[in-house]
Amino acid sequence: MDPNTIRNVAIIAHVDHGKTTLVDQMFKQSGMFRANEHVAERFMDSIDLERERGITIASKNASFHYKGFRINIIDTPGHADFGGQVERVLRMADGALLLVDAQEGPMPQTYFVLKKSLALALPIIVVINKIDKPAARPEWAIDQVFDLFVKLNAPDHILDFPVIFASAKQGYTSLEVGGPQLSMEPLFEKIISHIPAPAGDPDAPLQMLVSSIEYSPYLGRLGIGKITGGTLNINKEIVVARRDGTLAPARITKVYRFEGAKKSVTDVAGVGEIVAVAGMDDVTLGVTFTDPEHPMPLPPMEIDPCTISIHFIPNESPFAGTEGSYATSQHLTERLRREALSDAALRVEELEGSRGFRVSGRGELHLSILIEKMRREGYEFEITRPQVIMKEEDGRLLEPFEELTIDVDKASMGTVIEKLGVRKGQMLEMNQGNGMARLIYRIPTRGLLGFRSEFLTDTRGMGVMNYRFLEYGPFAGDIRTRTKGVMVAKEPCTTVAYALFNLQDRGRLFYGPGIRVYQGQIIGEHCRPQDLVVNPAKGKKLTNVRASGSDENVILTPPIRMSLEECIAYINEDELVEITPQAIRLRK
């Protein structure tokens, strides 16, 4: 293909600013689908967990044609915990669409992704989305975006960014507020005119940096990246320049272009094209496919450090091996190694002196999504309480801090400020108006563990919190997040309603009647700080004497159902979460 007819565009935004919906409209209006073709809403969210949670988790590639141009779209996650996905795929882009909500303006993740884009000097088109909202304030949003560019020391030519106003939901874009609301065409034209064609010499030796990994059950691992020099064709002999500097020979067996969200086979691909390549089973992120006679490795991508870690250990509970398909240490090893190869922000290390792994990532959500994926695939294992990754410099202990942004109504503000004070949060800024308040805090990463569910309860589900990694700072001191003990099962048994009824006065229960439990399993939260060993199978003593009023009705309060993230945040140092495809249990 002629490189001048290619545009490689990354779409970056804060979570829930309408990025995936915009991509939907771009594809529909480019003519990629037949008139009678059924297209799922948010069709780029192809993972079940993405559809369930309404967030993008993994970066994906797709393309469409418009007036003779091929526009390659790189869809990126909007959540800070998946920032590693954004960092690695921006190397494939020649420009970016920065999506900003017309009411909310730039948010913490906007700061993060924009900083990464400016580091690569990518030209940026600002899209002010959701201008059809009643509370939209597009001119204010533009001012806030400009201030953010200035704060990040953007060069002058990038500061003069073009602005498009859009309603992705309604399917239109416009060059001005109140302009014609017809189609996505103004955005397409702006992409072609403002985003440069990919640079590179078609006659130079082959160069392609692998920025993403996919797995095919038929072809094995596929390396995805942009060709920055030379051409790539099937059966071509190449060398793979690894991150440690070594070279390994390989042969290209298949080359795929992206047509829509699907892949189509091609015999040859040239400079500027984003392709998926098969032919090397152990391909990893950051390696370069290059020419064997003139190897020219590209510098590997820089990834921000992990901030949190969890120990993954084989399941050793009495129910081990009864509910999952993959329960051994070997299964766990293979699965975690495979994940680490495709996720640049994940680090997997073997634990010394015990079976298991220390898995490090960007945040609770980053690791809990991995745990949920493994659970659904049939794995069973146990995990420990998350630990923040500390550093030591000049004899001082340093820990990671986050910048936390909270939007909350004024009625709940006092409770939230009190809770954040206990968690060592320091308020940096407070803005109030229209009955709402925006609070900006500097808080240790440890202080955020388990805070989300507590925050949603305190704000009756109406509060919004977002955070981004800020810096490493001096250790902030001990933070105690759980003040109550737990109720622990005395022996293996099946829970009985009569026993649970009598235990209700001692605290909150996690299970109803008729559930099998084992010795050491946590069945509820005690109302006092110490743990309590209980017998949830204790039945009523039956006699042949009956009297009116002696038989009480057993009325049970519905048990508490905790999500995976809540379980991970709830446990103490001496407790574990048992993960199986059928259940999530807490145990001592």
Side-chain angles (χ1 to χ4, degrees):
M1 286 189 71
D2 178 4
N4 293 317
T5 64
I6 298 173
R7 297 292 183 272
N8 297 319
V9 187
I11 300 195
I12 56 178
H14 182 79
V15 66
D16 204 31
H17 277 198
K19 182 168 33 61
T20 309
T21 308
L22 185 81
V23 174
D24 276 11
Q25 292 292 348
M26 290 170 76
F27 276 81
K28 285 174 185 172
Q29 296 191 28
S30 68
M32 283 297 297
F33 305 117
R34 300 188 312 274
N36 64 344
E37 188 172 347
H38 173 70
V39 182
E41 189 180 349
R42 302 197 333 268
F43 81 99
M44 286 289 278
D45 284 350
S46 52
I47 304 171
D48 287 345
L49 276 169
E50 291 181 322
R51 292 192 171 279
E52 287 170 23
R53 296 179 181 232
I55 59 173
T56 303
I57 292 169
S59 297
K60 300 176 200 71
N61 297 80
S63 75
F64 62 86
H65 294 272
Y66 175 76
K67 291 186 177 178
F69 287 84
R70 171 190 284 272
I71 299 177
N72 289 315
I73 296 290
I74 304 157
D75 189 21
T76 63
H79 201 286
D81 281 19
F82 307 111
Q85 299 270 347
V86 181
E87 289 166 325
R88 60 183 174 78
V89 297
L90 284 178
R91 293 285 283 272
M92 290 192 276
D94 298 304
L97 298 185
L98 176 66
L99 220 68
V100 177
D101 188 299
Q103 179 186 343
E104 295 180 1
M107 296 289 276
Q109 183 69 358
T110 316
Y111 179 99
F112 171 82
V113 290
L114 186 58
K115 183 180 175 185
K116 297 294 176 188
S117 302
L118 292 176
L120 296 169
L122 296 179
I124 289 165
I125 299 171
V126 174
V127 180
I128 305 296
N129 193 25
K130 304 189 184 183
I131 59 168
D132 55 328
K133 278 172 126 176
R137 37 184 183 171
E139 288 86 359
W140 172 85
I142 293 170
D143 291 342
Q144 296 297 309
V145 171
F146 185 82
D147 290 347
L148 183 57
F149 273 78
V150 172
K151 187 177 176 182
L152 291 169
N153 297 319
D156 291 346
H157 69 281
I158 291 181
L159 273 175
D160 189 21
F161 53 81
V163 179
I164 296 282
F165 300 94
S167 169
K169 191 176 180 182
Q170 303 294 333
Y172 65 80
T173 57
S174 177
L175 295 175
E176 56 190 31
V177 180
Q181 300 175 356
L182 302 174
S183 68
M184 306 298 288
E185 197 160 319
L187 178 59
F188 295 155
E189 295 291 346
K190 191 60 73 176
I191 287 172
I192 289 166
S193 63
H194 190 73
I195 304 294
D201 182 0
D203 301 319
L206 172 68
Q207 267 189 322
M208 175 183 144
L209 181 73
V210 175
S211 303
S212 190
I213 298 283
E214 274 190 23
Y215 181 77
S216 161
Y218 307 107
L219 298 168
R221 299 172 65 76
L222 302 175
I224 299 172
K226 182 176 77 171
I227 300 170
T228 50
T231 55
L232 191 68
N233 51 280
I234 55 172
N235 297 323
K236 181 168 185 161
E237 298 286 349
I238 63 163
V239 290
V240 179
R242 296 194 178 108
R243 294 174 72 99
D244 61 3
T246 59
L247 301 175
R251 179 189 287 269
I252 301 301
T253 56
K254 289 277 185 184
V255 179
Y256 294 95
R257 282 194 184 115
F258 291 91
E259 296 288 348
K262 299 173 183 171
K263 300 184 195 71
S264 65
V265 178
T266 181
D267 291 338
V268 63
V271 165
E273 295 194 58
I274 293 176
V275 291
V277 178
M280 186 179 178
D281 288 339
D282 59 342
V283 62
T284 58
L285 290 172
V287 302
T288 304
F289 292 167
T290 186
D291 190 77
E293 294 178 10
H294 304 94
M296 298 173 65
L298 289 162
M301 60 202 78
E302 292 294 321
I303 299 291
D304 283 353
C306 301
T307 58
I308 204 167
S309 68
I310 292 179
H311 291 182
F312 284 55
I313 54 180
N315 191 5
E316 295 172 346
S317 83
F319 292 170
T322 61
E323 296 176 351
S325 307
Y326 309 106
T328 67
S329 178
Q330 187 63 33
H331 287 138
L332 196 60
T333 304
E334 289 171 3
R335 180 65 182 84
L336 290 173
R337 295 279 185 221
R338 194 164 77 238
E339 189 70 24
L341 289 173
S342 59
D343 189 345
L346 196 76
R347 204 167 67 239
V348 178
E349 304 158 290
E350 284 193 42
L351 291 173
E352 293 181 15
S354 66
R355 294 188 307 154
F357 295 87
R358 183 183 190 222
V359 181
S360 306
R362 286 287 178 81
E364 261 183 301
L365 188 61
H366 183 199
L367 295 177
S368 70
I369 290 290
L370 168 62
I371 293 164
E372 183 63 30
K373 280 198 297 187
M374 291 174 64
R375 186 171 93 87
R376 294 183 182 201
E377 290 166 14
Y379 289 84
E380 60 173 76
F381 50 96
E382 293 176 332
I383 56 172
T384 62
R385 178 176 171 77
Q387 298 286 338
V388 164
I389 298 171
M390 305 283 192
K391 283 179 17 181
E392 199 165 317
E393 273 182 21
D394 304 325
R396 294 189 310 154
L397 188 63
L398 304 179
E399 67 172 322
F401 281 79
E402 312 275 341
E403 184 187 275
L404 173 68
T405 303
I406 282 177
D407 290 299
V408 68
D409 64 84
K410 289 183 180 177
S412 309
M413 192 169 69
T415 309
V416 172
I417 290 172
E418 184 184 344
K419 293 278 177 74
L420 289 172
V422 172
R423 291 168 175 268
K424 308 288 186 185
Q426 298 173 328
M427 189 186 292
L428 304 177
E429 201 176 311
M430 177 196 287
N431 299 308
Q432 299 186 50
N434 300 324
M436 297 291 289
R438 173 168 287 187
L439 313 174
I440 299 179
Y441 272 83
R442 178 181 183 269
I443 186 169
T445 304
R446 288 179 302 136
L448 287 176
L449 296 179
F451 178 63
R452 187 180 293 274
S453 60
E454 210 174 289
F455 170 74
L456 289 174
T457 304
D458 292 339
T459 60
R460 296 175 178 80
M462 299 299 289
V464 179
M465 62 174 276
N466 296 287
Y467 55 86
R468 68 176 180 88
F469 174 72
L470 187 63
E471 62 186 355
Y472 268 87
F475 181 67
D478 292 332
I479 299 173
R480 189 168 184 197
T481 54
R482 194 178 96 192
T483 57
K484 294 178 180 176
V486 290
M487 290 190 272
V488 185
K490 179 182 179 182
E491 58 193 13
C493 60
T494 300
T495 57
V496 174
Y498 179 78
L500 296 178
F501 175 70
N502 290 320
L503 289 174
Q504 284 183 153
D505 295 339
R506 299 298 187 96
R508 305 187 302 166
L509 296 172
F510 297 158
Y511 297 104
I515 307 294
R516 286 176 59 225
V517 298
Y518 52 78
Q519 183 180 358
Q521 187 173 334
I522 295 170
I523 65 156
E525 181 181 75
H526 192 202
C527 58
R528 297 187 178 182
Q530 65 270 24
D531 294 343
L532 183 70
V533 178
V534 298
N535 180 6
K538 185 178 180 182
K540 183 180 180 184
K541 293 286 183 289
L542 299 178
T543 70
N544 60 353
V545 178
R546 289 287 180 270
S548 85
S550 64
D551 287 334
E552 294 179 15
N553 286 331
V554 173
I555 300 172
L556 292 176
T557 305
I560 297 165
R561 305 287 185 202
M562 287 203 289
S563 66
L564 173 61
E565 283 91 351
E566 288 171 327
C567 288
I568 293 171
Y570 182 80
I571 57 173
N572 275 337
E573 303 295 335
D574 61 339
E575 296 161 0
L576 298 169
V577 183
E578 180 189 354
I579 309 287
T580 77
Q582 296 179 23
I584 298 172
R585 303 183 184 93
L586 306 180
R587 60 173 300 209
K588 293 304 268 189

